[in-house]
Amino acid sequence: MNLAIKQTSPSAAPPIRSGSIETVAVPLFDLKIANRRCADATPEEIIQQALSKAERPLISTSFSAYSAALLSIAHKIRPDLTVLWCDTGFNTPATYQFANRLAEELGLNLKIYHPQFSAGYLQAIYGDIPEAGTPEHTAFTKTVKLEPFERAFAELKPDLWITGIRREETEFRRTQDIFTWDAKRQVTKVAPIFNFSRTQLIDYLQQHDLPIELDYFDPTKPEEHLECGLHY
């Protein structure tokens, strides 16, 4: 599969016409009840519960080290599920090969969004990836990840966002839950592997003969414990 075929070029979000009626989105579930019922559920059960109410679900991926696990689980349940990848342009060759392999083997319904500026242009402007914690890195992160992601949501208009975040990854994520409400994007968010440890993920991948991509690099999160801003 040639990933370039399904690439989505930047486009402006449609304007809100005067006189139009704004609708206020609400969570697809009672979040407290859903989290209580799914506390000990499998990822498969959580996804099935989430999809039972969704009309425009999508799953996001970065094609990071263990991402094949959740993509495989979700694809078995909903083969036509929209898979959103915001490619920063700074992925390693191994990650691009990994993404291409998974897209072909699983038959992913992959939608790729890119920054409005090329990696070459950004490298020329910044000289290198800016240091984390600086204003330059904040602007860089917005350009290569957050803006493409917001553009994707504006165009795809999902009512359910399936994400691969896990409780153990960062301090912020320990404050989250399986089902949450993303107030900024007005979308119900579900993390089916939220309670999985890294060891459990690796075990799942090995048991199902799925690939692991350890050469992954996220320029917006140079250290694993950091957040890029996508999830808050």
Side-chain angles (χ1 to χ4, degrees):
M1 170 184 165
N2 184 351
L3 294 183
I5 294 175
K6 291 190 177 182
Q7 292 173 354
T8 307
S9 58
S11 61
I16 299 176
R17 296 179 180 178
S18 60
S20 61
I21 300 175
E22 291 189 21
T23 57
V24 178
V26 295
L28 296 175
F29 313 93
D30 182 308
L31 299 178
K32 289 184 179 180
I33 293 176
N35 282 313
R36 185 170 66 247
R37 289 178 175 173
C38 290
D40 298 315
T42 65
E44 291 86 352
E45 292 168 338
I46 293 169
I47 292 174
Q48 289 169 344
Q49 167 71 15
L51 292 176
S52 69
K53 299 290 185 180
E55 296 181 357
R56 299 178 306 281
L58 67 73
I59 181 171
S60 63
T61 186
S62 59
F63 289 109
S64 57
Y66 312 115
S67 58
L70 182 57
L71 287 172
S72 175
I73 293 169
H75 183 263
K76 288 177 182 177
I77 296 170
R78 180 74 68 85
D80 64 344
L81 181 65
T82 296
V83 179
L84 170 61
W85 180 29
C86 290
D87 171 21
T88 64
F90 287 82
N91 286 294
T92 66
T95 295
Y96 287 115
Q97 293 165 4
F98 176 68
N100 195 61
R101 175 183 174 184
L102 280 184
E104 287 184 343
E105 292 184 357
L106 298 180
L108 300 178
N109 179 21
L110 187 60
K111 307 296 182 184
I112 308 173
Y113 281 74
H114 291 110
Q116 297 189 46
F117 302 97
S118 69
Y121 173 86
L122 293 171
Q123 286 173 322
I125 295 299
Y126 290 107
D128 198 356
I129 297 171
E131 182 180 353
T134 64
E136 291 79 12
H137 190 266
T138 299
F140 173 83
T141 297
K142 181 177 180 180
T143 297
V144 302
K145 181 180 281 188
L146 302 183
E147 187 282 326
F149 199 86
E150 300 308 331
R151 181 169 11 105
F153 264 55
E155 294 180 3
L156 300 172
K157 296 179 172 58
D159 59 355
L160 179 73
W161 174 15
I162 303 173
T163 173
I165 67 169
R166 296 181 296 113
R167 183 194 302 274
E168 71 172 16
E169 291 177 311
T170 69
E171 286 297 324
F172 170 75
R173 295 179 187 191
R174 290 186 180 94
T175 69
Q176 301 300 290
D177 213 328
I178 296 170
F179 287 92
T180 55
W181 174 246
D182 188 317
K184 180 170 70 173
R185 301 182 182 94
Q186 298 285 285
V187 64
T188 300
K189 189 173 173 182
V190 59
I193 56 172
F194 186 69
N195 292 318
F196 263 40
S197 66
R198 181 176 301 191
T199 299
Q200 286 177 294
L201 272 183
I202 293 173
D203 287 346
Y204 181 92
L205 290 162
Q206 292 176 340
Q207 290 168 9
H208 293 83
D209 195 27
L210 291 166
I212 297 174
E213 206 294 272
L214 295 178
D215 196 31
Y216 174 76
F217 169 69
D218 185 345
T220 69
K221 294 193 301 181
E223 297 180 29
E224 286 189 357
H225 70 280
L226 298 176
E227 292 282 350
C228 65
L230 198 61
H231 293 286
Y232 58 71

